[in-house]
Amino acid sequence: NAGVTQTPKFQVLKTGQSMTLQCAQDMNHEYMSWYRQDPGMGLRLIHYSVGAGITDQGEVPNGYNVSRSTTEDFPLRLLSAAPSQTSVYFCASSHPEMNTEAFFGQGTRLTVV
Amino acid sequence: DAKTTQPNSMESNEEEPVHLPCNHSTISGTDYIHWYRQLPSQGPEYVIHGLTSNVNNRMASLAIAEDRKSSTLILHRATLRDAAVYYCILIVRAAGNKLTFGGGTRVLVKP
C-alpha cells in the first residue's frame, strides 16, 4: 500500500518559472491538503480539498493554484516561482471525519533561486 | 482557528517516560484532540487522538483533563527513535478536518 506519494522529492527552480508538485493517494480519501514548512517552523496550510471538484484556500494560498479532478490526485501549481516559496511542501490525505488520522507524504524540498 | 500551547522543547533519558503537556483552553465540546509527530526530514505521522476519555495505543497514551482544557501525551519508555517534534492539534468541527500546526514540542532523548 503506497499511501501518499509526492513527486519530485527535490526541485530547484529559477525565479519566475512555473511547476507542478504532484500528490497521489491510493486510500480513497476524500480530504486532501497541501502544507508548506519553512525552516524551524510548523506546517502551514496552503490549499485543501474535500472531494473531487471542490477546493478551498488555507492560511497561505497566494502564489499557488490547485485542482482536484480525481479522488486520487491533488496537484499543487506554482505559477511564477519566487524565492519566498523556497520551502518543504507536504501533501496529506484523510477521510473527512474528525476522528480519523491524516497520512502525509515524504515531502518535496523546493529551492527557488 | 483553535489554538494550542505547548512547551518549545523537552529532554528525556532513554527508557524513561516522557510527559508532553498541551493547553487548549478554547476547546469546545465537539473538538477532537490529535497528536502528530515529525521525525527529522520526514512528514508528520499520526500518534493518537481523543475526545473526552483517556486513550492508549501501541505508540503512546493520551490523558485528557476532566474539563478538556489540557491534555498530556505520554510516551511510556522513550527510545532514541522517539526524538521528534510533537504537535498537539485541535480538530474543530466548523473547520472540517483541517490540521492547524503550531510550533510543537521538540523532544530530545538522551542515551
Side-chain angles (χ1 to χ4, degrees):
Chain A
N1 195 349
V4 178
T5 302
Q6 290 184 236
T7 55
K9 287 186 170 51
F10 301 93
Q11 182 70 49
V12 178
L13 288 179
K14 293 182 179 178
T15 298
Q17 286 185 318
S18 63
M19 80 159 294
T20 299
L21 279 62
Q22 301 292 344
C23 176
Q25 52 93 7
D26 60 0
M27 297 171 282
N28 202 31
H29 287 160
E30 296 115 313
Y31 190 91
M32 296 186 74
S33 52
W34 276 102
Y35 294 84
R36 61 175 287 173
Q37 185 173 33
D38 299 328
M41 307 286 287
L43 283 73
R44 291 184 292 170
L45 181 65
I46 305 171
H47 285 285
Y48 66 99
S49 169
V50 299
I54 306 169
T55 64
D56 206 346
Q57 296 181 349
E59 180 186 358
V60 288
N62 292 341
Y64 308 94
N65 274 0
V66 292
S67 60
R68 183 96 179 270
S69 57
T70 67
T71 298
E72 294 78 19
D73 300 297
F74 190 42
L76 178 72
R77 279 182 285 277
L78 280 71
L79 306 174
S80 177
S84 61
Q85 294 178 304
T86 294
S87 190
V88 181
Y89 291 83
F90 291 100
C91 177
S93 76
S94 69
H95 290 299
E97 291 79 18
M98 296 167 65
N99 60 347
T100 60
E101 66 180 279
F103 294 83
F104 285 79
Q106 288 301 298
T108 295
R109 185 174 296 274
L110 176 68
T111 302
V112 183
V113 297
Chain B
D1 287 332
K3 184 171 174 58
T4 62
T5 304
Q6 300 177 250
N8 289 335
S9 62
M10 294 188 74
E11 287 189 3
S12 174
N13 294 318
E14 200 174 8
E15 303 292 316
E16 291 185 355
V18 182
H19 289 69
L20 301 177
C22 180
N23 287 322
H24 29 78
S25 58
T26 62
I27 193 170
S28 70
T30 57
D31 297 344
Y32 277 82
I33 304 159
H34 283 234
W35 284 81
Y36 284 76
R37 72 178 186 180
Q38 187 173 24
L39 302 173
S41 301
Q42 294 192 25
E45 65 175 343
Y46 167 83
V47 176
I48 200 166
H49 77 271
L51 182 61
T52 56
S53 303
N54 295 344
V55 184
N56 300 297
N57 67 19
R58 64 174 179 82
M59 289 182 69
S61 295
L62 177 60
I64 301 173
E66 195 168 336
D67 64 4
R68 301 186 73 233
K69 294 185 185 300
S70 65
S71 61
T72 301
L73 180 72
I74 303 164
L75 308 178
H76 294 286
R77 292 180 64 197
T79 69
L80 296 178
R81 193 192 175 278
D82 292 321
V85 179
Y86 288 77
Y87 296 99
C88 169
I89 299 170
L90 293 187
I91 305 296
V92 179
R93 179 174 296 281
N97 201 12
K98 287 190 291 185
L99 300 175
T100 300
F101 288 81
T105 297
R106 182 173 298 276
V107 172
L108 173 65
V109 180
K110 296 181 288 185

